[in-house]
Amino acid sequence: MQERVLLFPLIEEEVSIRETQTESLEFTTIFETYYKRIYNYISYRVSCRYTTEDLTSQVFEKVLNKLGTYSSDKSPLEVWMFAIARNVVNDYFRAQKRTKMFSLEGIKELISKKKDPESLYILGESNDKLFRALDTLNERERNIVGLKFGANLSNIQISRIVDLTESNVGVILYRTMKKLKLRIEDESEGVK
Amino acid sequence: MSKKSAEQQFSKELDAYMISGQGPSKVDSEEYNELFEFGKRLADRDFSRSSNKGEILLQVRRNSSSTRGDEDMKKTKKMKRPVIAAATLAVVGVLSIGLMKPAFAQDIFGRIVQSVSLGHITVEQHEYPTGLISIPSELEGKIFDRDGNPVVEIDNEHPETVYTASGEEVVGFINGEVVTKAEQEKLDQENKVEILVVNNPNQLNDYTCFDVILPTYLPEGFSFDRAEFYKGDDGTVSNSKYINLFFKNEKTGKSFIMQNRFADEETAFIRSTDGTVEAIKINDQDAVLVNERDIDWEYKGVIYGIAGKKSGLDPSELIRIAESIQ
């Protein structure tokens, strides 16, 4: 049997206790409010559940650390949060490319080891189809689909994050949806 | 309808659907309607439902405190020793990993099966992954096996002793750096806490910042043996947040330990096990029974813990002892 002590918060001064409590309350509210949308946005961008969980926690960690510097005059909280999320995912892809050069085999092994039967079952067949179709999109298309359907953002909010005009976002979204739908239908008919 | 306007209308109606659940106005285009149905399906999809939300929040908090540790290594040394000693006492056979890299920690801890949280106490039941786990990249090239071969994976179930390049035994990792046995012993020596032993049960309240309540029920043969306190820097004990109580059965040699702590941020803890975790009640207060031998609960601002591993008592007897604290 294994037992471990995971966390033993040590706070030294009374001031820091109060600060931590306020910060913690505010942060918990943000976490509860945005968890689903951040998670879903990342799901649309990366096809692995464990990576999604890892990146989601990284996003909220950054939010927690940077909450003090957020200013509502500059951008709405939503835009700020999803800009952070986009950066975390982009950083992840960059790091992946670097690591892949060193050891492609290692990564494959890591991924296959992490996909236990249960999580595969949870993902389900239709999700796999969706993920395979998403894999055929380029990064910009995939990002916009994620911001739309995962993050539930309006086109004007998306346009601020990806630095395109609102109508441009609409056009890309429409075309990407057509592409995606076609790919999924192809998959269902067994056409590759 | 021109192509351009179809795209704009699609976006507008999709936004309306996502905000209020309203469907599209019937458009005379099969493609448009099909695409809208597809969009609805995507918008309704919630990947997060099958995710470990609680664990992610925990990971954020863990990670965030370890980031603070990175910035100031000295902070880890500033940890008040009584707290660490208290932790070790409360959970026997513990590996403390407060500052481990979260991704590695996740590999080691695996999935949370159950989590019981009562105020300042959290107990998690984990399914520890079996088999080999890749070490975090910061440790690559820093740890070696007995024969001096680099270690890249550790066996979570039966961890082998690892060594530095020069053959020194490694006992832990802090912020991606190895801590050797000699370093740890030196640190322990520096932070060594003297223990004050008190044998008279009537004097216990003189040392603590809370009222010490002893159990009025003890199983046959058991009696109060002693109390221990951690001495402060000046060698005395006053207003201590911790008290360790030892009970013994002289005839059988069986014993159990109670630790009581004044409940606050400093004394709060999370423990984890791959054994059983059961939510129970002690005098109508929420409590948790861990591995059928330890009980943790909070009552009137004090955290109580009974460690019954060496007691030979069944859970029902341990619960009876706990319930006699009122």
Side-chain angles (χ1 to χ4, degrees):
Chain A
M1 188 156 333
Q2 302 185 52
E3 275 194 42
R4 281 145 176 171
V5 168
L6 296 183
L7 199 67
F8 221 78
L10 301 159
I11 295 159
E12 286 150 16
E13 289 161 36
E14 215 178 297
V15 186
S16 71
I17 292 175
R18 270 202 304 276
E19 275 174 3
T20 311
Q21 277 170 346
T22 340
E23 188 187 65
S24 162
L25 190 71
E26 199 182 350
F27 174 72
T28 309
T29 315
I30 291 176
F31 183 85
E32 286 298 327
T33 315
Y34 287 99
Y35 173 76
K36 182 177 156 187
R37 289 165 65 189
I38 294 280
Y39 188 95
N40 282 333
Y41 164 66
I42 296 173
S43 291
Y44 270 103
R45 293 206 57 195
V46 300
S47 308
C48 165
R49 180 184 158 184
Y50 283 92
T51 310
T52 305
E53 293 191 353
D54 211 17
L55 296 182
T56 304
S57 87
Q58 283 183 35
V59 170
F60 281 106
E61 189 207 325
K62 286 216 158 67
V63 168
L64 179 59
N65 291 340
K66 289 182 178 174
L67 208 54
T69 65
Y70 165 70
S71 145
S72 56
D73 313 336
K74 285 184 197 149
S75 61
L77 188 63
E78 279 182 323
V79 173
W80 180 72
M81 299 249 327
F82 286 104
I84 290 178
R86 178 204 55 190
N87 288 340
V88 165
V89 177
N90 289 349
D91 284 350
Y92 164 76
F93 282 130
R94 265 197 291 276
Q96 275 259 310
K97 272 177 202 151
R98 246 194 337 263
T99 331
K100 261 180 194 158
M101 274 164 47
F102 290 114
S103 157
L104 193 61
E105 288 310 303
I107 288 183
K108 269 188 204 152
E109 209 171 277
L110 207 66
I111 290 167
S112 63
K113 200 158 62 181
K114 283 189 161 183
K115 280 201 175 177
D116 57 283
E118 196 205 10
S119 65
L120 282 176
Y121 175 76
I122 290 168
L123 283 176
E125 204 203 335
S126 63
N127 278 3
D128 274 355
K129 246 181 248 166
L130 174 62
F131 284 137
R132 275 199 295 272
L134 284 166
D135 278 338
T136 65
L137 302 179
N138 68 35
E139 272 196 32
R140 188 172 77 172
E141 292 167 337
R142 207 170 165 166
N143 192 25
I144 287 176
V145 167
L147 288 170
K148 189 75 209 170
F149 298 107
N152 284 5
L153 294 178
S154 68
N155 288 5
I156 183 120
Q157 285 170 318
I158 295 176
S159 72
R160 279 196 223 171
I161 294 172
V162 297
D163 210 16
L164 289 168
T165 65
E166 188 188 352
S167 68
N168 220 334
V169 170
V171 172
I172 296 171
L173 184 70
Y174 193 80
R175 282 188 202 150
T176 309
M177 293 271 297
K178 261 163 79 171
K179 205 162 144 185
L180 206 53
K181 186 165 171 286
L182 210 64
R183 288 279 144 73
I184 290 177
E185 282 163 1
D186 283 354
E187 282 256 356
S188 306
E189 287 157 20
V191 184
K192 283 268 161 169
Chain B
M1 188 168 53
S2 77
K3 198 162 181 285
K4 181 93 179 164
S5 72
E7 285 152 359
Q8 298 314 325
Q9 189 181 348
F10 181 78
S11 289
K12 221 172 91 189
E13 292 192 331
L14 201 58
D15 280 353
Y17 172 76
M18 283 160 81
I19 293 160
S20 63
Q22 274 173 359
S25 52
K26 270 288 162 201
V27 175
D28 206 16
S29 153
E30 202 183 324
E31 187 194 39
Y32 184 93
N33 291 331
E34 271 182 23
L35 215 51
F36 200 87
E37 279 307 307
F38 178 56
K40 268 162 60 172
R41 284 216 307 278
L42 290 185
D44 293 341
R45 197 178 283 269
D46 182 8
F47 299 101
S48 75
R49 265 198 315 209
S50 58
S51 67
N52 288 331
K53 187 175 175 183
E55 189 172 11
I56 291 173
L57 181 58
L58 257 175
Q59 207 176 309
V60 173
R61 295 209 187 282
R62 258 179 232 151
N63 203 351
S64 169
S65 54
S66 75
T67 314
R68 278 200 282 277
D70 278 337
E71 284 164 9
D72 185 4
M73 269 287 283
K74 278 181 191 154
K75 264 195 183 149
T76 58
K77 288 186 185 170
K78 262 197 255 164
M79 279 184 186
K80 288 180 197 135
R81 187 60 189 180
V83 181
I84 299 172
T88 336
L89 184 81
V91 187
V92 187
V94 147
L95 166 67
S96 183
I97 61 131
L99 295 158
M100 200 179 272
K101 281 281 171 195
F104 184 52
Q106 192 191 0
D107 282 347
I108 287 201
F109 288 114
R111 203 164 67 92
I112 296 184
V113 182
Q114 195 193 350
S115 174
V116 179
S117 190
L118 345 150
H120 296 91
I121 308 164
T122 303
V123 182
E124 293 176 349
Q125 186 186 356
H126 285 253
E127 235 170 41
Y128 290 121
T130 52
L132 299 173
I133 288 165
S134 304
I135 61 163
S137 54
E138 314 93 83
L139 290 177
E140 274 170 26
K142 291 181 187 169
I143 54 176
F144 302 85
D145 68 9
R146 203 172 292 275
D147 306 316
N149 302 312
V151 171
V152 287
E153 287 175 321
I154 56 164
D155 186 339
N156 199 34
E157 263 180 308
H158 311 285
E160 302 253 335
T161 313
V162 291
Y163 302 86
T164 62
S166 54
E168 284 185 84
E169 190 178 333
V170 172
V171 292
F173 315 110
I174 292 177
N175 299 329
E177 293 297 325
V178 298
V179 178
T180 65
K181 196 176 178 182
E183 284 165 353
Q184 185 62 48
E185 280 170 1
K186 194 168 161 250
L187 213 62
D188 284 350
Q189 201 57 41
E190 280 169 13
N191 297 321
K192 197 174 175 185
V193 167
E194 303 281 324
I195 300 266
L196 171 74
V197 178
V198 175
N199 293 100
N200 184 346
N202 298 319
Q203 290 174 354
L204 305 179
N205 274 320
D206 301 346
Y207 301 97
T208 52
C209 67
F210 57 93
D211 272 344
V212 179
I213 310 172
L214 293 176
T216 52
Y217 168 78
L218 290 175
E220 208 185 322
F222 280 89
S223 61
F224 173 82
D225 181 46
R226 66 185 192 278
E228 288 184 357
F229 300 92
Y230 306 110
K231 284 185 187 170
D233 293 338
D234 58 355
T236 65
V237 176
S238 63
N239 286 325
S240 174
K241 285 183 182 177
Y242 302 88
I243 178 171
N244 298 319
L245 299 158
F246 295 79
F247 298 88
K248 212 170 164 182
N249 185 333
E250 293 293 346
K251 274 188 203 155
T252 60
K254 305 270 186 198
S255 63
F256 67 89
I257 305 169
M258 269 190 69
Q259 186 182 66
N260 307 346
R261 321 158 167 224
F262 176 74
D264 68 5
E265 307 300 322
E266 181 190 307
T267 62
F269 66 92
I270 298 179
R271 67 187 278 189
S272 95
T273 178
D274 64 346
T276 58
V277 176
E278 195 186 334
I280 57 167
K281 294 270 184 194
I282 298 294
N283 294 327
D284 291 329
Q285 305 287 320
D286 287 325
V288 57
L289 176 66
V290 184
N291 297 330
E292 301 201 324
R293 55 174 162 77
D294 297 344
I295 304 172
D296 292 302
W297 76 106
E298 196 173 323
Y299 175 60
K300 289 189 178 167
V302 178
I303 296 170
Y304 292 89
I306 294 182
K309 193 182 181 183
K310 294 178 183 166
S311 68
L313 299 167
D314 352 346
S316 63
E317 279 289 275
L318 294 167
I319 290 170
R320 231 180 124 183
I321 300 169
E323 296 207 311
S324 76
I325 297 172
Q326 285 199 61

